[in-house]
Amino acid sequence: MKREDWQGVYALHGDALDRRVRQALGKLPQERRAVHVRRRWAILLAAVLALASAIALAAGLLLSDRMDARTSAQRALAAQYGFTPEMEAFFDCEVSLDGRTVVFSPRGMEQIAQRLGVYTVTLAEEGASASWSHDGEEIGKALTSPVWDTALLEQALARRAAGEDWAEILLPERMLAVNITKEQALAIARRAAEAELGADALAAYPQAEAHLYYEDAQIADSDGHGVRRWEVWFYQEGRIGEEWLTVRLHADDGQVFDCARHTQEEQAQIETQDAALIRQADARSAEAQARAEITRAQAVELARDALAQVYGLTQAQLDRLEWQEDYAPSLYRMEGDMPIITEWFWLWQGDREAFTAGDGLYTVEVNAQTGVIENVLYDSGLSGNG
């Protein structure tokens, strides 16, 4: 796969410093007049938070209790089952309130998720123990097995890294058939639009584009067709966002199953909804920035240290790690009462197009008051089709 294809894919806070803050506040003397109490608490809280931030930065890296638990659980899975960082994107991770149980539940593409099972790690003073919901079952050796252990998932990931998409890996040949060419798809779509919308329906839309896409395999099975579909767009140059027609058809036999006219009003509704969400996010971002005690430069430094510790990135990998300064419109956000700075990093190690273990997008969430690392995530891009 090409580098640009890869780059296109993509609560608990009981850490030690927070406990110290609560302990300090718990020892404050009670004043008779509430207003004095509130003022004194505010002053002392600010001082304690500033001190906590300074301590965190001076002491180096501090992980939250939740992050500590998750990291320990991932190491246990690696030791017992061969779990790799590239597999993380296929699972949601949930840490129990007491931090002693970490559960990895499959997510994402249904055709993959239903094969993976659930991994559970129990953390105790004497060590960590892991289990899998399919322990003791007979597991096949080929990817046609209804259950995948980490060995089969690794086999699938190797094929994905070599350039195959998930449909090619998961589905039989009959469901991948493309018997209709692009030119044929355009001709079929023209006839369908004229039949459905009138003989002159395309007069206002002289331009046409067609592209192949995948339909959900379960839907494809239910309608008796393969997973490949053609979608054809008819539009006028310079007015693509105002009004256009789409025709969709099966790529195995050319049967049309959808023909529709679209207007700018539909797009305007979507943009209005998006704008409202953006305004809400911006307000929370402004609040988080106002409450931040560390700078972005400090957050980036802590984030890089976290990647080195959590994922064991070498100095050579860290040297190639690219900070995505403008990856998202809002880097600050509130998580409950906690201001968070999120930093993104991109790693591509080879000079060629081939995927190398460790390549992908890294996300680090830093407590903007204390500098504690709240979360670290890695997405190799292998879980999607690029």
Side-chain angles (χ1 to χ4, degrees), residues 292-345:
E293 299 287 343
I294 67 172
T295 66
R296 281 204 63 195
Q298 291 170 323
V300 170
E301 182 180 353
L302 289 167
R304 290 175 61 88
D305 290 344
L307 294 179
Q309 177 172 317
V310 174
Y311 290 107
L313 297 188
T314 65
Q315 188 58 52
Q317 289 173 316
L318 291 172
D319 290 343
R320 298 187 75 106
L321 199 63
E322 299 175 8
W323 174 41
Q324 306 298 293
E325 182 176 3
D326 301 316
Y327 183 79
S330 178
L331 298 166
Y332 289 82
R333 79 174 196 282
M334 293 298 299
E335 187 172 303
D337 293 329
M338 181 189 306
I340 296 290
I341 304 175
T342 303
E343 300 295 350
W344 289 268
F345 300 84

Side-chain angles (χ1 to χ4, degrees), residues 70-81:
R70 207 192 83 186
T71 302
S72 297
Q74 287 169 332
R75 289 171 181 164
L77 291 181
Q80 190 164 334
Y81 292 101

Side-chain angles (χ1 to χ4, degrees), residues 201-382:
L202 298 180
Y205 312 104
Q207 277 77 37
E209 294 290 340
H211 72 274
L212 275 170
Y213 71 95
Y214 284 103
E215 185 56 270
D216 182 90
Q218 291 180 334
I219 295 175
D221 263 342
S222 67
D223 64 21
H225 290 273
V227 295
R228 305 304 298 273
R229 308 283 200 263
W230 281 106
E231 183 173 58
V232 181
W233 285 51
F234 296 99
Y235 61 96
Q236 184 179 120
E237 192 69 39
R239 298 186 61 195
I240 182 63
E242 298 178 15
E243 191 171 337
W244 66 100
L245 302 179
T246 59
V247 178
R248 294 189 291 167
L249 55 138
H250 297 287
D252 52 7
D253 64 1
Q255 180 181 333
V256 174
F257 62 91
D258 182 71
C259 181
R261 189 190 305 271
H262 307 274
T263 67
Q264 188 178 27
E265 291 181 2
E266 297 175 355
Q267 186 65 26
Q269 290 176 353
I270 296 173
E271 291 176 355
T272 299
Q273 293 171 354
D274 290 345
L277 293 175
I278 290 173
R279 286 194 298 271
Q280 293 175 9
D282 286 345
R284 298 293 277 168
S285 175
E287 181 183 356
Q289 291 185 59
R291 297 177 62 174
E293 299 287 343
I294 67 172
T295 66
R296 281 204 63 195
Q298 291 170 323
V300 170
E301 182 180 353
L302 289 167
R304 290 175 61 88
D305 290 344
L307 294 179
Q309 177 172 317
V310 174
Y311 290 107
L313 297 188
T314 65
Q315 188 58 52
Q317 289 173 316
L318 291 172
D319 290 343
R320 298 187 75 106
L321 199 63
E322 299 175 8
W323 174 41
Q324 306 298 293
E325 182 176 3
D326 301 316
Y327 183 79
S330 178
L331 298 166
Y332 289 82
R333 79 174 196 282
M334 293 298 299
E335 187 172 303
D337 293 329
M338 181 189 306
I340 296 290
I341 304 175
T342 303
E343 300 295 350
W344 289 268
F345 300 84
W346 174 253
L347 177 62
W348 192 264
Q349 300 165 80
D351 295 325
R352 298 177 296 176
E353 297 175 351
F355 175 86
T356 302
D359 286 348
L361 185 69
Y362 293 85
T363 306
V364 184
E365 298 176 357
V366 185
N367 185 315
Q369 288 181 323
T370 64
V372 169
I373 304 300
E374 297 295 335
N375 205 11
V376 180
L377 299 171
Y378 167 56
D379 186 355
S380 67
L382 295 174

